[in-house]
Amino acid sequence: LERALRILEQHYGKDHPVVAMTLANLGGAHERLGDYSQSKDLLERALRIKEQHYGKEHPEVAKTLTNLSNAHAYLGNYSQQKDL
């Protein structure tokens, strides 16, 4: 996924929805590896792109918010998890 991300960023630019999808997938991979901090960072970046592209009330944004809330829970950031 990291290689795919580099290719997609070069082709589409860093703020394209396809890049956001790949960031979210990579965030999920880091979550499964137990790297919750990296997962959170990637999901936050994906969220910014999706909100910018789709608007804050889109289902794609909601999916990323859910995944981001899980990353916050794994990190013990329960207040931040609740706020999402």
Side-chain angles (χ1 to χ4, degrees):
L1 282 170
E2 290 174 345
R3 180 177 171 207
L5 179 61
R6 285 190 302 273
I7 293 167
L8 292 169
E9 286 176 333
Q10 288 175 349
H11 184 76
Y12 292 108
K14 293 186 180 279
D15 295 324
H16 193 276
V18 172
V19 170
M21 180 182 66
T22 305
L23 286 165
N25 289 336
L26 187 55
H30 278 277
E31 179 183 311
R32 289 184 290 284
L33 290 168
D35 189 354
Y36 305 121
S37 181
Q38 182 66 17
S39 175
K40 180 186 75 70
D41 292 345
L42 290 163
L43 290 166
E44 285 175 341
R45 185 171 161 214
L47 179 63
R48 283 190 299 273
I49 295 167
K50 288 181 179 186
E51 285 179 338
Q52 182 180 34
H53 183 77
Y54 297 116
K56 293 184 183 250
E57 302 300 319
H58 193 276
E60 281 296 318
V61 171
K63 277 196 317 192
T64 305
L65 284 168
T66 300
N67 294 333
L68 182 56
S69 76
N70 291 335
H72 278 292
Y74 287 125
L75 290 167
N77 302 333
Y78 303 114
S79 176
Q80 291 165 318
Q81 178 194 24
K82 181 183 132 322
D83 291 341
L84 293 174

